[in-house]
Amino acid sequence: VMSRFIRAKNATLKRLFLGRPNDSLEGRFMAVPSGIDQGVLLGFFVIFARFELALKNAGFYCRPQQKPEGHPPDAKPDWDKFALSLRPIFKPQANDTLKESYEYLISNPPWRQVVINGALMWSADYAPSTCSVAEHLLLLIRGLRNNLFHGVSFSTVQGYDAETTKNLLRASIVVLTECLRLSPGVRVAFEEIS
């Protein structure tokens, strides 16, 4: 009985992760919304995940609050500290591709879901006026990641647009690549992750 279960489970996993179309409930859950380039989407998630680990490995992690005895605190990347380290050296006009990516992200900020007076609302306001360019861009990129991960980027309520999402993903990859170029310690940690 157990071996039949394992074979059935393996067949389901193969269908899910090898991209074979199926009409099962799992297949519908795994479907990427139309118009999204799966390669760009996966590339963004892989880069973002590696980036977060690289930040922590390079020393950019939040100093955790103490937890009860026997429960070590979670290690979380400190994006804000990293952005501050880039403040004097991040120049969006360094090259044409970076400049276009910067302009696209600033002009098309990912919406974020907020709670105002107990009701779900939408806001494109991410950054206080005192933010540097690097801080603002990294806030937008983290917002995009959150939206993708939590489904907001595909929300028909918010007016999902595949082309905008694809362009935001590509622009974010360009910005993250520039951040790696400017931060040798994070770049080395990023390259060590296989």
Side-chain angles (χ1 to χ4, degrees), residues 47-64 73-82 145 180 183 185-190 192-193:
I47 290 168
F48 193 93
R50 287 179 67 193
F51 210 107
E52 288 206 321
L53 181 57
L55 285 174
K56 292 183 285 186
N57 289 348
F60 291 100
Y61 56 88
C62 297
R63 301 305 177 231
D74 296 335
K76 296 180 181 178
D78 193 339
W79 284 95
D80 296 333
K81 182 179 172 187
F82 176 66
R145 178 262 177 214
L180 283 175
S183 183
V186 175
R187 184 176 61 245
V188 167
F190 186 90
E192 288 175 348
I193 301 165

Side-chain angles (χ1 to χ4, degrees), residues 79-130:
W79 284 95
D80 296 333
K81 182 179 172 187
F82 176 66
L84 284 172
S85 76
L86 297 175
R87 183 176 257 197
I89 57 176
F90 188 93
K91 307 288 184 227
Q93 55 281 72
N95 63 63
D96 290 341
T97 305
L98 182 61
K99 183 180 179 198
E100 289 170 14
S101 297
Y102 161 74
E103 290 171 355
Y104 195 84
L105 282 161
I106 297 298
S107 300
N108 300 281
W111 287 90
R112 64 188 184 115
Q113 209 167 20
V114 296
V115 178
I116 299 175
N117 297 327
L120 290 175
M121 307 292 281
W122 297 96
S123 173
D125 181 26
Y126 274 85
S129 59
T130 57

Side-chain angles (χ1 to χ4, degrees), residues 18-71:
L18 295 178
R20 294 188 182 132
N22 70 55
D23 293 328
S24 69
L25 187 58
E26 305 97 20
R28 289 194 301 269
F29 282 142
M30 294 292 290
V32 174
S34 64
I36 290 291
D37 181 325
Q38 291 182 26
V40 174
L41 180 63
L42 179 61
F44 173 80
F45 273 126
V46 169
I47 290 168
F48 193 93
R50 287 179 67 193
F51 210 107
E52 288 206 321
L53 181 57
L55 285 174
K56 292 183 285 186
N57 289 348
F60 291 100
Y61 56 88
C62 297
R63 301 305 177 231
Q65 303 295 323
Q66 285 301 104
K67 285 198 167 188
E69 187 67 31
H71 298 281

Side-chain angles (χ1 to χ4, degrees), residues 143-168:
L144 174 63
R145 178 262 177 214
N146 290 344
N147 287 355
L148 290 164
F149 195 79
H150 299 291
V152 177
S153 287
F154 311 122
S155 170
T156 54
V157 173
Q158 188 48 38
Y160 164 71
D161 175 37
E163 191 66 23
T164 300
T165 300
K166 179 178 67 175
N167 291 334
L168 286 169

